[in-house]
């Protein structure tokens, strides 16, 4: 699950390499960084509104984010609107995203966390793998996972680092950020929840032999005795 609700400005219209029309919008930067560029697919729900917009128009957008699997090397996020886009008279500061999925560490996350340790930053980078409804336009099926890069700071970073493990289910709430075109999610303070066991699933105790266990081997044998007097 992933849902985005944000204030944005109209940038331009365009189309993907396989002919899917979209409108690019920019979500104003939160803190450091740059505006977050998102491509909104022109579905029937929003096509009429977007076709009448001009560059710089203030918008309120809401929907689900997807990656484009139909074009290799396309790292843009695409928004499938779940509500009608609204044209606003003035800009609003809104950038809220909620993601539910399984915890995972990519190679980039591991490298970023090592740099955080070396620079003594209270930060933890990780990924969430989430599912979403099928979207044929983007060649996305229900079996495909959407990867979100997540950054948590201070208390949130410490708690997640101690309690999360590969595959553990989480919900985080935060906001989108962009550096050099690379879009990630920053966790809002205290807005994360983990489900399931705090520890990785261990092997069944019955299948594990203690290191100091004694091995007992039982073998069958044939016992021969002389005939009894009663058998004669």
């Amino acid at each position: 699950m992933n849902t985005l609700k944000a204030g944005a400005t109209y940038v331009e219209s365009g189309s993907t390499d396989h002919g899917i029309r979209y409108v690019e919008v920019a979500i104003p930067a939160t803190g450091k960084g740059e505006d977050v560029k998102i491509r909104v697919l022109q579905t029937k729900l929003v096509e009429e509104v977007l076709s009448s917009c001009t560059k710089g128009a203030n918008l309120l957008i809401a929907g689900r984010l997807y990656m484009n699997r139909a074009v290799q090397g396309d790292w843009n996020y695409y928004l499938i609107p779940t509500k009608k886009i609204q044209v606003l008279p003035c800009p609003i500061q809104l950038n809220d995203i909620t993601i539910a999925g399984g915890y995972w560490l990519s190679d980039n996350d591991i490298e970023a966390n090592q740099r955080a340790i070396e620079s003594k930053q209270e930060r933890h980078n990780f990924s969430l793998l989430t599912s979403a409804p099928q979207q044929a336009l983007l060649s996305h099926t229900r079996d495909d996972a959407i990867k979100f890069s997540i950054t948590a700071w201070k208390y949130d970073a410490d708690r997640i680092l101690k309690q999360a493990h590969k595959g553990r289910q989480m919900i985080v709430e935060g906001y989108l950020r962009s550096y050099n075109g690379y879009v990630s999610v920053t966790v809002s303070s205290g807005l994360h929840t983990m489900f399931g066991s705090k520890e990785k699933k261990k092997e069944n105790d019955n299948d594990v032999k203690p290191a100091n266990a004694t091995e007992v081997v039982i073998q069958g044998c044939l016992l021969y005795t002389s005939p009894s007097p009663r058998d004669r």
Side-chain angles (χ1 to χ4, degrees):
M1 178 195 80
N2 75 83
T3 57
L4 172 69
K5 187 174 184 179
T9 56
Y10 185 105
V11 178
E12 62 182 0
S13 60
S15 62
T16 66
D17 290 345
H18 62 313
I20 301 302
R21 295 168 56 232
Y22 64 82
V23 166
E24 187 170 84
V25 300
I27 303 172
T30 301
K32 297 180 180 179
E34 58 206 23
D35 291 352
V36 181
K37 300 290 182 63
I38 300 293
R39 293 179 172 182
V40 183
L41 291 194
Q42 296 196 48
T43 63
K44 292 181 180 180
L45 183 63
V46 298
E47 188 172 18
E48 183 179 348
V49 174
L50 292 177
S51 62
S52 62
C53 288
T54 57
K55 186 175 182 179
N58 299 302
L59 307 171
L60 177 62
I61 61 175
R64 295 188 183 94
L65 291 176
Y66 287 81
M67 299 295 291
N68 183 9
R69 295 180 176 275
V71 178
Q72 188 174 6
D74 185 352
W75 303 110
N76 293 285
Y77 277 110
Y78 290 79
L79 183 82
I80 305 295
T82 52
K83 294 183 179 180
K84 189 174 182 179
I85 290 179
Q86 298 180 43
V87 180
L88 306 175
C90 58
I92 60 170
Q93 292 296 319
L94 180 64
N95 180 354
D96 292 339
I97 186 168
T98 301
I99 303 173
Y103 176 92
W104 181 59
L105 288 177
S106 67
D107 291 341
N108 289 337
D109 295 327
I110 294 171
E111 292 175 4
N113 290 333
Q114 184 59 41
R115 291 195 298 269
I117 293 172
E118 293 171 354
S119 60
K120 297 182 179 180
Q121 289 184 318
E122 298 177 276
R123 185 189 79 221
H124 181 58
N125 288 77
F126 61 100
S127 299
L128 281 184
L129 302 179
T130 185
S131 59
Q134 179 175 327
Q135 286 297 331
L137 290 176
L138 300 174
S139 296
H140 177 90
T141 70
R142 273 199 166 277
D143 295 330
D144 293 325
I146 304 172
K147 174 183 170 292
F148 289 91
S149 298
I150 316 289
T151 302
W153 293 87
K154 297 185 178 180
Y155 164 78
D156 301 297
D158 183 63
R159 181 171 182 265
I160 292 171
L161 181 60
K162 289 178 179 178
Q163 298 185 10
H165 54 76
K166 183 179 179 180
R168 189 173 188 190
Q169 296 299 300
M170 300 177 60
I171 295 179
V172 302
E173 297 180 49
Y175 51 92
L176 292 175
R177 301 188 74 174
S178 178
Y179 290 94
N180 298 320
Y182 178 76
V183 178
S184 63
V185 176
T186 297
V187 180
S188 297
S189 181
L191 297 183
H192 66 276
T193 304
M194 287 178 273
F195 303 93
S197 173
K198 295 181 182 179
E199 299 181 359
K200 293 182 181 179
K201 185 177 180 181
K202 297 181 179 179
E203 294 179 283
N204 190 319
D205 292 340
N206 295 327
D207 298 331
V208 180
K209 183 177 71 175
N212 60 349
T214 301
E215 185 169 327
V216 179
V217 178
I218 300 177
Q219 293 181 327
C221 65
L222 177 63
L223 179 63
Y224 176 81
T225 60
S226 61
S228 169
R230 289 176 294 178
D231 297 330
R232 294 177 180 176

